[in-house]
Amino acid sequence: MRSVRARAAIGATLVVAVALVAAGLAVLAVLRTNLIDQADLQAEVAAREVAGQLALDTRYEDLDLDDEEDHPVQVTDEEGRVVFVSKGLQAVSGTRSPGVSPVPSASVGATPSPGDDDDDDDDGGGANARPARGEVSSDDPDFSDGTATVGGKRADYRFAAVEATTPAGLTLTVHAGAPLAAEQEAVNTVRGAMLTGLPVLLAVVAGVTWLVTRRALRPVEGIRREMAAITASEDLARRVPEPDSRDEIAALARTTNETLTVLEASVDRQRRFVTDASHELRSPIASLRTQLEVAEAHPELLDLPGAVADTVRLQALAADLLLLARLDAGEKPGAARLEAGALVREEVSQRTGDRIPVTVEVAEDASYEVNGSRGQLARVVGNLLDNAQRHAEGLVAVSVAADGSGVRVEVRDDGAGVPEDERERIFERFVRLDDARSRDDGGAGLGLAIARDVAARHGGTLTVHRASEGGAAFWLWLPRAV
């Protein structure tokens, strides 16, 4: 039951079994109803034929009974006494007259037969005399199930009861039966065929479902084996096989391979991150250790400003690494409502020691509201200004303007700019186009990577273009606050 194939086969078999049983019961019910209706019709026809003869004042011994063995007849009077039975009828049950219990056995009673009236000779009879006529009830006959013993053989019958009134005013009830043997045989035959064929059909359904499910799930087993092999080997470069079909399993394989691709890229990026972080930390730590060892042996040679600079560099690098770790962990930015122009002016006013004064271009009467974390967005603006200060010749400018449904913060300089083929690579972690100058200036190649990650977390973008002054222009686009 733990196998999908087994559950599918059992489920399909149960559904088909329930459907077949329900359909079989319905077929048997319809068949039985139709056969009983036919028996009712035969019994009614036989009963009305006898009732018609009695209405014509036919004597009991002169009644013309067709096929008495298949259609036994019993006639009762108004008091429920049996006055006539067909030839060979020895016992009957299931026939009843109004208010009278069933008669367990049939025998001719003492009631006079129609046509036995002593006054018949005075009725003006003769060759031209018209026969006296009674009537047959036009109401629907009463039907009942019962048994009859004819010629020593007991069988089930369907009885129809029809009332007839003789010319003398005597009301008689004619019970005529139709055998149910054919109905029972037909129903038993159909039932037997169903009981015999049902297990075979269910076995076929279970087998076909098992085979079809097994074939359909074969690619899934291939995917499972390959995933187990990838887990065991830790080789994320491997991929699961993709079937040629365009069904859900093929979609699962494609999605699995896409997930493996993303996972491989993430792991590679994490490994590079750890390697680069170790490399970046090793240099200032080694420098600081060297200075401290020299100071221990020769206190007069202590380079205190250099030690402080290395410590500050370590502190900044540790802060950058911590922020990247929080961003990689999916830290959500705050939902505070900020005014981008005011944020830029505040960040520029707090900067000290810039090599080139920063020009701010923000309209005083305009409002550029965005949602996000003040600290993280201020960090983005600061990183972009730091990058511009390292590469500018004599101009660093920052502007804020509306851009479609958002706000664009632009930081530009008049430096050498960024080559077009490097405009995406500079946002990778620990990437520095001018490695020697970046190291001298204390850059670790994390500022732009942090800026883009923060922009993405705020639903925005960060791209680099060529400034009108010839240098680099970084565009930070953020959606407007709603």
Side-chain angles (χ1 to χ4, degrees), residues 58-208:
T58 304
R59 296 175 180 271
Y60 295 137
E61 57 271 20
D62 295 333
L63 291 175
D64 183 12
L65 304 178
D66 294 332
D67 201 358
E68 298 178 5
E69 189 172 334
D70 286 340
H71 300 289
V73 176
Q74 179 193 62
V75 181
T76 59
D77 61 10
E78 296 174 345
E79 297 180 359
R81 294 177 299 177
V82 178
V83 298
F84 174 78
V85 294
S86 59
K87 182 180 179 181
L89 181 60
Q90 299 170 342
V92 65
S93 66
T95 62
R96 65 175 65 231
S97 298
V100 180
S101 300
V103 180
S105 62
S107 62
V108 179
T111 302
S113 173
D116 285 348
D117 196 330
D118 293 338
D119 297 334
D120 285 348
D121 294 338
D122 299 330
D123 288 340
N128 296 324
R130 297 179 60 187
R133 289 182 178 271
E135 63 179 6
V136 178
S137 174
S138 61
D139 295 337
D140 292 336
D142 295 330
F143 296 100
S144 61
D145 293 323
T147 61
T149 303
V150 181
K153 296 180 180 180
R154 180 186 175 90
D156 294 328
Y157 285 83
R158 184 75 171 171
F159 290 99
V162 177
E163 291 186 350
T165 304
T166 66
L170 178 63
T171 300
L172 301 174
T173 302
V174 179
H175 300 274
L180 295 177
E183 176 267 335
Q184 294 172 349
E185 182 179 359
V187 171
N188 291 336
T189 301
V190 174
R191 184 188 296 115
M194 289 182 176
L195 293 177
T196 302
L198 181 61
V200 177
L201 182 58
L202 293 180
V204 172
V205 170
V208 171

Side-chain angles (χ1 to χ4, degrees), residues 355 383-392 396 411-413:
R355 183 172 59 91
N383 288 354
L384 295 179
L385 291 174
D386 290 340
N387 180 77
Q389 288 287 340
R390 282 195 294 269
H391 297 88
V396 174
V411 178
R412 65 185 188 275
D413 61 71

Side-chain angles (χ1 to χ4, degrees), residues 251-272:
L252 172 64
R254 288 192 295 272
T255 303
T256 302
N257 285 333
E258 292 171 359
T259 303
L260 288 173
T261 301
V262 174
L263 183 60
E264 181 186 14
S266 176
V267 171
D268 289 343
R269 185 175 64 176
Q270 190 70 22
R271 288 173 179 171
R272 290 197 305 270

